[in-house]
Amino acid sequence: MFETIKFDVKNGVAWLTLNRPDKLNAFTEQMNVEIGKALKDVARNSEIRCLVITGEGRAFCSGEDIGSLGEETNHGEILRNRYNPMVQQLAAIEKPVIAAINGVAAGAGLSLALACDFRLASEKASLVEAFIHIGLIPDSGNLYYLPRLVGQAKALELAILGEKISAEEAKSIGLVTKVIPSDHWEEEVSVFAQKLAKMPTKAIGLIKRYVNDSWTCNLEEMLEKEAYGQRAAGLTADHQEGIAAFLEKRKPEFKGL
C-alpha cells in the first residue's frame, strides 16, 4: 500500500515508520501524501488508541530531500500544499502521538517531532534546526511549537545558531520527554506506547484540545471549556469504568470509549 513509509497496527498502537533509510528518511512529495493517508486512518480507526512515528535505519528524518530543489522552487507553495496539511492533520488527532526519535531529526524532520505530544529519544539521537544552514527559516509548525516547548530565548538560540544538540541536552531543556538507552530502545518505546493505548482515550483527546486552546483563551473562557469538556468526559464509558475500579479497589480497564 505504501512505498515510502511503513504502517502497522498492533495492540491498539499504530506504528508509522518513515522508510527511506538510504536518504535518512528525507521527505518527498510522495512521502507527505502517504503520511497524510496514514494519519487519516489513525484519526478514523477507533481501534487505534496511540500513534508512534519513527524512522527506519539510523535517522528519524533529515527534513526535505533538497536534491529536488532548484532556483525556481516556490518554498511557500511546497509548505501550503504538502507540509502544512500534514501538520494540521497531526494536530487534529485526538489520540496520543509519540515521536520515537531513533537518530538524527533535522529540519522539517525535527518539526514533525515537535508536533507530536511526546518525544522519546534514543541516546544516539540528535536534533538540529538545520534550516539556517541553507538560508531558510524553520517551518512546518516549527516556529509555533518550539517556543512553546523551550521558551522564546532558547527557541531563538536553536533556530538561529542551528547547532546540533544531543538527546540528553534536548531532555534537559524540555524538548524531549525521555532518553532511552539504545539496547532497550524498541522495548521501552513499545511499553510507553502501550501504556498510553490503555488509558482513557477520549479524556486524552479533550486534554490535548483544551491545552492547545489555552494559548488563546482568557481564564473565563478556559473555565467554561473545562466545564464543557468535563461533562463530555463524564459521559464516557471509561469514566464509569474508572469509578467502578476505584470503588472495587482494582486497576481500571479502559476501552477508549
Side-chain angles (χ1 to χ4, degrees):
M1 181 177 179
F2 297 118
E3 295 181 11
T4 66
I5 67 170
K6 296 178 182 178
F7 186 70
D8 301 293
V9 180
K10 303 173 185 176
N11 300 318
V13 179
W15 297 82
L16 193 167
T17 305
L18 309 181
N19 190 31
R20 298 184 72 224
D22 57 320
K23 299 292 185 180
L24 300 181
N25 300 317
F27 287 115
T28 62
E29 182 174 2
Q30 182 179 0
M31 182 183 280
N32 289 128
V33 170
E34 291 184 356
I35 290 172
K37 291 179 179 178
L39 294 180
K40 185 178 293 185
D41 190 23
V42 171
R44 291 178 174 177
N45 189 342
S46 60
E47 294 184 3
I48 295 174
R49 296 173 61 191
C50 178
L51 168 63
V52 178
I53 301 176
T54 192
E56 185 71 23
R58 61 191 179 93
F60 176 73
C61 178
S62 59
E64 172 71 5
D65 190 339
I66 61 174
S68 61
L69 303 181
E71 292 184 8
E72 302 302 317
T73 298
N74 186 327
H75 296 284
E77 286 306 301
I78 289 177
L79 290 173
R80 293 185 185 98
N81 294 330
R82 291 170 47 193
Y83 286 92
N84 294 359
M86 178 182 72
V87 173
Q88 288 170 326
Q89 271 188 284
L90 190 57
I93 292 176
E94 294 200 332
K95 302 172 184 181
V97 181
I98 302 167
I101 308 172
N102 54 301
V104 65
L110 177 55
S111 301
L112 177 63
L114 298 181
C116 296
D117 304 314
F118 302 92
R119 280 155 295 283
L120 306 182
S122 164
E123 62 183 354
K124 296 181 178 179
S126 58
L127 298 81
V128 57
E129 290 280 6
F131 299 93
I132 197 70
H133 300 302
I134 54 173
L136 294 177
I137 70 168
D139 59 32
S140 306
N142 196 299
L143 293 179
Y144 178 85
Y145 290 110
L146 187 63
R148 285 166 167 75
L149 290 168
V150 301
Q152 180 172 327
K154 196 65 179 181
L156 286 170
E157 177 187 326
L158 295 172
I160 293 174
L161 298 182
E163 296 174 348
K164 184 183 293 187
I165 62 172
S166 68
E168 287 292 349
E169 183 178 353
K171 173 71 167 61
S172 72
I173 62 174
L175 203 54
V176 161
T177 309
K178 184 178 183 181
V179 177
I180 299 173
S182 56
D183 54 347
H184 295 290
W185 172 245
E186 292 184 7
E187 175 189 355
E188 291 203 28
V189 171
S190 181
V191 168
F192 194 92
Q194 284 296 324
K195 178 180 179 179
L196 288 170
K198 293 177 180 179
M199 294 179 73
T201 313
K202 298 290 186 181
I204 290 175
L206 289 166
I207 290 169
K208 288 179 59 171
R209 184 191 306 178
Y210 295 132
V211 166
N212 288 331
D213 287 352
S214 72
W215 294 97
T216 57
C217 288
N218 59 36
L219 177 59
E220 182 179 357
E221 292 168 333
M222 201 64 233
L223 290 171
E224 178 54 34
K225 284 179 179 288
E226 288 174 348
Y228 180 87
Q230 198 69 296
R231 172 58 175 162
L235 293 173
T236 63
D238 279 344
H239 170 59
Q240 296 304 316
E241 166 62 12
I243 293 295
F246 177 81
L247 295 174
E248 296 166 13
K249 297 182 180 180
R250 59 174 175 83
K251 287 186 177 181
E253 295 183 10
F254 297 120
K255 303 297 184 182
L257 303 173

